[in-house]
Short mmCIF file of all heavy atoms in Angstrom, two decimals:
data_model
loop_
_atom_site.label_atom_id
_atom_site.label_comp_id
_atom_site.label_asym_id
_atom_site.label_seq_id
_atom_site.Cartn_x
_atom_site.Cartn_y
_atom_site.Cartn_z
N ILE A 562 -1.31 20.05 -10.36
CA ILE A 562 -0.28 19.64 -9.39
C ILE A 562 -0.87 18.92 -8.20
O ILE A 562 -0.28 17.95 -7.66
CB ILE A 562 0.62 20.82 -8.97
CG1 ILE A 562 1.80 20.37 -8.14
CG2 ILE A 562 -0.18 21.86 -8.19
CD1 ILE A 562 2.85 19.63 -8.94
N GLU A 563 -2.06 19.35 -7.75
CA GLU A 563 -2.68 18.69 -6.59
C GLU A 563 -3.01 17.25 -6.88
O GLU A 563 -2.84 16.36 -6.04
CB GLU A 563 -3.97 19.44 -6.18
CG GLU A 563 -3.77 20.86 -5.72
CD GLU A 563 -3.70 21.84 -6.87
OE1 GLU A 563 -4.11 21.54 -8.00
OE2 GLU A 563 -3.18 22.98 -6.63
N ALA A 564 -3.48 16.96 -8.09
CA ALA A 564 -3.79 15.59 -8.47
C ALA A 564 -2.52 14.74 -8.57
O ALA A 564 -2.49 13.57 -8.18
CB ALA A 564 -4.56 15.54 -9.80
N ILE A 565 -1.44 15.32 -9.06
CA ILE A 565 -0.17 14.63 -9.17
C ILE A 565 0.35 14.34 -7.78
O ILE A 565 0.87 13.24 -7.50
CB ILE A 565 0.83 15.39 -10.01
CG1 ILE A 565 0.36 15.45 -11.48
CG2 ILE A 565 2.24 14.82 -9.89
CD1 ILE A 565 1.15 16.38 -12.38
N GLN A 566 0.22 15.28 -6.87
CA GLN A 566 0.64 15.04 -5.49
C GLN A 566 -0.16 13.93 -4.82
O GLN A 566 0.38 13.11 -4.08
CB GLN A 566 0.57 16.34 -4.66
CG GLN A 566 1.61 17.35 -5.07
CD GLN A 566 1.38 18.73 -4.46
OE1 GLN A 566 0.24 19.07 -4.02
NE2 GLN A 566 2.43 19.52 -4.36
N THR A 567 -1.43 13.89 -5.11
CA THR A 567 -2.29 12.82 -4.58
C THR A 567 -1.83 11.48 -5.17
O THR A 567 -1.71 10.47 -4.43
CB THR A 567 -3.76 13.07 -4.94
OG1 THR A 567 -4.15 14.30 -4.35
CG2 THR A 567 -4.67 11.96 -4.51
N PHE A 568 -1.56 11.44 -6.46
CA PHE A 568 -1.11 10.21 -7.12
C PHE A 568 0.22 9.74 -6.44
O PHE A 568 0.41 8.58 -6.20
CB PHE A 568 -0.85 10.52 -8.59
CG PHE A 568 -0.60 9.30 -9.47
CD1 PHE A 568 -1.68 8.62 -10.03
CD2 PHE A 568 0.66 8.84 -9.72
CE1 PHE A 568 -1.47 7.52 -10.81
CE2 PHE A 568 0.87 7.76 -10.50
CZ PHE A 568 -0.18 7.05 -11.04
N GLU A 569 1.12 10.70 -6.16
CA GLU A 569 2.40 10.39 -5.54
C GLU A 569 2.23 9.82 -4.16
O GLU A 569 3.02 8.99 -3.72
CB GLU A 569 3.33 11.61 -5.52
CG GLU A 569 3.84 12.01 -6.88
CD GLU A 569 4.58 13.33 -6.89
OE1 GLU A 569 4.59 14.03 -5.85
OE2 GLU A 569 5.15 13.65 -7.94
N THR A 570 1.17 10.22 -3.46
CA THR A 570 0.90 9.66 -2.14
C THR A 570 0.60 8.17 -2.28
O THR A 570 1.09 7.33 -1.48
CB THR A 570 -0.31 10.39 -1.46
OG1 THR A 570 0.05 11.73 -1.29
CG2 THR A 570 -0.68 9.74 -0.16
N GLY A 571 -0.19 7.80 -3.24
CA GLY A 571 -0.48 6.37 -3.52
C GLY A 571 0.78 5.63 -3.84
O GLY A 571 0.99 4.51 -3.30
N VAL A 572 1.66 6.20 -4.64
CA VAL A 572 2.91 5.55 -4.98
C VAL A 572 3.79 5.38 -3.75
O VAL A 572 4.38 4.29 -3.52
CB VAL A 572 3.68 6.35 -6.06
CG1 VAL A 572 5.10 5.83 -6.26
CG2 VAL A 572 2.91 6.36 -7.36
N ARG A 573 3.89 6.39 -2.93
CA ARG A 573 4.74 6.34 -1.73
C ARG A 573 4.26 5.26 -0.79
O ARG A 573 5.08 4.45 -0.33
CB ARG A 573 4.69 7.75 -1.08
CG ARG A 573 5.73 7.89 0.03
CD ARG A 573 5.88 9.35 0.49
NE ARG A 573 4.61 10.01 0.79
CZ ARG A 573 4.09 10.98 0.01
NH1 ARG A 573 4.68 11.39 -1.06
NH2 ARG A 573 2.95 11.56 0.39
N TYR A 574 2.97 5.18 -0.51
CA TYR A 574 2.47 4.16 0.39
C TYR A 574 2.59 2.76 -0.21
O TYR A 574 2.85 1.80 0.49
CB TYR A 574 1.02 4.45 0.78
CG TYR A 574 1.01 5.42 1.95
CD1 TYR A 574 1.13 6.78 1.76
CD2 TYR A 574 0.91 4.95 3.26
CE1 TYR A 574 1.15 7.69 2.81
CE2 TYR A 574 0.91 5.84 4.33
CZ TYR A 574 1.03 7.20 4.11
OH TYR A 574 1.06 8.04 5.16
N GLN A 575 2.47 2.65 -1.51
CA GLN A 575 2.68 1.35 -2.15
C GLN A 575 4.15 0.92 -1.95
O GLN A 575 4.41 -0.24 -1.63
CB GLN A 575 2.33 1.41 -3.63
CG GLN A 575 2.52 0.08 -4.32
CD GLN A 575 2.02 0.07 -5.75
OE1 GLN A 575 1.08 0.79 -6.10
NE2 GLN A 575 2.65 -0.72 -6.57
N MET A 576 5.07 1.84 -2.16
CA MET A 576 6.48 1.49 -2.00
C MET A 576 6.82 1.19 -0.55
O MET A 576 7.56 0.22 -0.28
CB MET A 576 7.35 2.63 -2.52
CG MET A 576 8.88 2.28 -2.44
SD MET A 576 9.37 0.79 -3.33
CE MET A 576 9.51 1.41 -4.95
N TYR A 577 6.30 1.96 0.39
CA TYR A 577 6.53 1.63 1.79
C TYR A 577 6.13 0.21 2.13
O TYR A 577 6.85 -0.51 2.80
CB TYR A 577 5.72 2.55 2.73
CG TYR A 577 6.11 4.00 2.77
CD1 TYR A 577 5.14 4.95 3.18
CD2 TYR A 577 7.33 4.47 2.38
CE1 TYR A 577 5.43 6.31 3.21
CE2 TYR A 577 7.64 5.83 2.44
CZ TYR A 577 6.68 6.72 2.87
OH TYR A 577 6.98 8.07 2.92
N HIS A 578 5.02 -0.18 1.61
CA HIS A 578 4.50 -1.48 1.94
C HIS A 578 5.12 -2.62 1.10
O HIS A 578 5.13 -3.73 1.52
CB HIS A 578 2.95 -1.50 1.93
CG HIS A 578 2.44 -0.75 3.13
ND1 HIS A 578 2.29 0.61 3.08
CD2 HIS A 578 2.18 -1.13 4.37
CE1 HIS A 578 1.90 1.03 4.27
NE2 HIS A 578 1.84 -0.01 5.11
N ALA A 579 5.67 -2.29 -0.04
CA ALA A 579 6.46 -3.29 -0.80
C ALA A 579 7.71 -3.60 0.04
O ALA A 579 8.06 -4.77 0.24
CB ALA A 579 6.87 -2.71 -2.15
N LEU A 580 8.37 -2.55 0.57
CA LEU A 580 9.52 -2.78 1.40
C LEU A 580 9.16 -3.49 2.72
O LEU A 580 9.94 -4.37 3.18
CB LEU A 580 10.22 -1.44 1.71
CG LEU A 580 10.79 -0.71 0.48
CD1 LEU A 580 11.25 0.69 0.86
CD2 LEU A 580 11.89 -1.51 -0.15
N PHE A 581 8.01 -3.17 3.24
CA PHE A 581 7.53 -3.83 4.46
C PHE A 581 7.36 -5.33 4.21
O PHE A 581 7.80 -6.14 5.02
CB PHE A 581 6.19 -3.18 4.85
CG PHE A 581 5.55 -3.74 6.08
CD1 PHE A 581 6.25 -3.80 7.27
CD2 PHE A 581 4.23 -4.16 6.08
CE1 PHE A 581 5.63 -4.30 8.43
CE2 PHE A 581 3.64 -4.62 7.22
CZ PHE A 581 4.32 -4.70 8.42
N LEU A 582 6.76 -5.69 3.07
CA LEU A 582 6.63 -7.12 2.73
C LEU A 582 7.96 -7.81 2.57
O LEU A 582 8.14 -8.96 2.97
CB LEU A 582 5.78 -7.31 1.46
CG LEU A 582 4.28 -7.15 1.63
CD1 LEU A 582 3.61 -7.36 0.27
CD2 LEU A 582 3.70 -8.07 2.68
N LEU A 583 8.93 -7.11 1.98
CA LEU A 583 10.26 -7.70 1.84
C LEU A 583 10.90 -7.94 3.19
O LEU A 583 11.53 -8.99 3.42
CB LEU A 583 11.14 -6.79 0.95
CG LEU A 583 10.76 -6.73 -0.52
CD1 LEU A 583 11.63 -5.69 -1.24
CD2 LEU A 583 10.89 -8.07 -1.17
N PHE A 584 10.74 -6.99 4.10
CA PHE A 584 11.24 -7.18 5.48
C PHE A 584 10.60 -8.38 6.14
O PHE A 584 11.25 -9.26 6.67
CB PHE A 584 11.05 -5.90 6.31
CG PHE A 584 11.21 -6.17 7.79
CD1 PHE A 584 12.45 -6.41 8.31
CD2 PHE A 584 10.10 -6.26 8.62
CE1 PHE A 584 12.60 -6.71 9.69
CE2 PHE A 584 10.22 -6.53 9.97
CZ PHE A 584 11.48 -6.74 10.52
N VAL A 585 9.28 -8.38 6.11
CA VAL A 585 8.51 -9.46 6.77
C VAL A 585 8.85 -10.78 6.17
O VAL A 585 9.03 -11.78 6.89
CB VAL A 585 6.97 -9.18 6.73
CG1 VAL A 585 6.18 -10.38 7.19
CG2 VAL A 585 6.65 -7.95 7.59
N GLY A 586 8.99 -10.83 4.85
CA GLY A 586 9.32 -12.09 4.18
C GLY A 586 10.71 -12.63 4.46
O GLY A 586 10.90 -13.85 4.40
N THR A 587 11.64 -11.76 4.80
CA THR A 587 13.01 -12.20 5.00
C THR A 587 13.42 -12.37 6.44
O THR A 587 14.50 -12.93 6.71
CB THR A 587 14.00 -11.25 4.31
OG1 THR A 587 13.83 -9.93 4.86
CG2 THR A 587 13.80 -11.22 2.79
N THR A 588 12.64 -11.88 7.37
CA THR A 588 13.08 -11.96 8.75
C THR A 588 12.55 -13.21 9.42
O THR A 588 11.49 -13.73 9.11
CB THR A 588 12.58 -10.71 9.55
OG1 THR A 588 13.12 -10.80 10.88
CG2 THR A 588 11.06 -10.64 9.63
N SER A 589 13.33 -13.72 10.38
CA SER A 589 12.89 -14.83 11.17
C SER A 589 12.25 -14.35 12.46
O SER A 589 11.85 -15.15 13.30
CB SER A 589 14.09 -15.74 11.50
OG SER A 589 15.04 -15.02 12.24
N LEU A 590 12.14 -13.06 12.62
CA LEU A 590 11.57 -12.49 13.82
C LEU A 590 10.02 -12.49 13.81
O LEU A 590 9.37 -12.17 14.78
CB LEU A 590 12.05 -11.03 14.00
CG LEU A 590 13.55 -10.84 14.17
CD1 LEU A 590 13.92 -9.38 14.17
CD2 LEU A 590 14.02 -11.58 15.39
N VAL A 591 9.44 -12.82 12.67
CA VAL A 591 7.99 -12.89 12.53
C VAL A 591 7.58 -14.33 12.30
O VAL A 591 8.10 -14.97 11.40
CB VAL A 591 7.49 -11.98 11.38
CG1 VAL A 591 5.96 -12.04 11.24
CG2 VAL A 591 7.96 -10.56 11.53
N VAL A 592 6.65 -14.80 13.14
CA VAL A 592 6.21 -16.23 13.02
C VAL A 592 5.41 -16.37 11.73
O VAL A 592 4.76 -15.42 11.26
CB VAL A 592 5.44 -16.68 14.24
CG1 VAL A 592 6.29 -16.65 15.49
CG2 VAL A 592 4.16 -15.87 14.44
N PRO A 593 5.45 -17.55 11.14
CA PRO A 593 4.78 -17.78 9.83
C PRO A 593 3.30 -17.39 9.85
O PRO A 593 2.78 -16.85 8.85
CB PRO A 593 4.97 -19.25 9.58
CG PRO A 593 6.27 -19.60 10.30
CD PRO A 593 6.25 -18.71 11.52
N LYS A 594 2.58 -17.69 10.91
CA LYS A 594 1.15 -17.34 10.97
C LYS A 594 0.94 -15.85 10.79
O LYS A 594 0.06 -15.41 10.02
CB LYS A 594 0.56 -17.80 12.32
CG LYS A 594 -0.82 -17.35 12.60
CD LYS A 594 -1.24 -17.82 14.00
CE LYS A 594 -2.16 -16.82 14.64
NZ LYS A 594 -2.53 -17.15 16.00
N TYR A 595 1.73 -15.04 11.43
CA TYR A 595 1.64 -13.60 11.32
C TYR A 595 2.13 -13.09 9.98
O TYR A 595 1.62 -12.12 9.45
CB TYR A 595 2.35 -12.87 12.47
CG TYR A 595 1.67 -13.01 13.80
CD1 TYR A 595 2.39 -13.21 14.96
CD2 TYR A 595 0.31 -12.95 13.90
CE1 TYR A 595 1.76 -13.34 16.18
CE2 TYR A 595 -0.36 -13.07 15.15
CZ TYR A 595 0.39 -13.24 16.28
OH TYR A 595 -0.23 -13.37 17.48
N LYS A 596 3.12 -13.76 9.42
CA LYS A 596 3.57 -13.39 8.05
C LYS A 596 2.42 -13.50 7.07
O LYS A 596 2.25 -12.62 6.19
CB LYS A 596 4.75 -14.25 7.60
CG LYS A 596 6.05 -13.94 8.24
CD LYS A 596 7.16 -14.79 7.67
CE LYS A 596 8.47 -14.44 8.28
NZ LYS A 596 9.62 -15.04 7.61
N THR A 597 1.67 -14.56 7.18
CA THR A 597 0.53 -14.79 6.29
C THR A 597 -0.52 -13.70 6.46
O THR A 597 -1.04 -13.15 5.46
CB THR A 597 -0.05 -16.19 6.51
OG1 THR A 597 0.95 -17.16 6.28
CG2 THR A 597 -1.23 -16.44 5.55
N ILE A 598 -0.87 -13.40 7.69
CA ILE A 598 -1.87 -12.40 7.97
C ILE A 598 -1.39 -11.03 7.45
O ILE A 598 -2.17 -10.32 6.79
CB ILE A 598 -2.19 -12.31 9.47
CG1 ILE A 598 -2.88 -13.60 9.93
CG2 ILE A 598 -3.07 -11.12 9.79
CD1 ILE A 598 -2.95 -13.77 11.46
#
Side-chain angles (χ1 to χ4, degrees):
I562 189 71
E563 297 84 16
I565 293 172
Q566 289 170 338
T567 299
F568 192 88
E569 288 172 354
T570 298
V572 170
R573 190 169 49 252
Y574 276 81
Q575 180 173 329
M576 182 57 83
Y577 292 157
H578 287 87
L580 296 171
F581 180 54
L582 283 180
L583 290 174
F584 164 73
V585 169
T587 59
T588 186
S589 61
L590 300 174
V591 180
V592 297
K594 173 183 146 184
Y595 288 140
K596 284 184 180 190
T597 301
I598 294 168

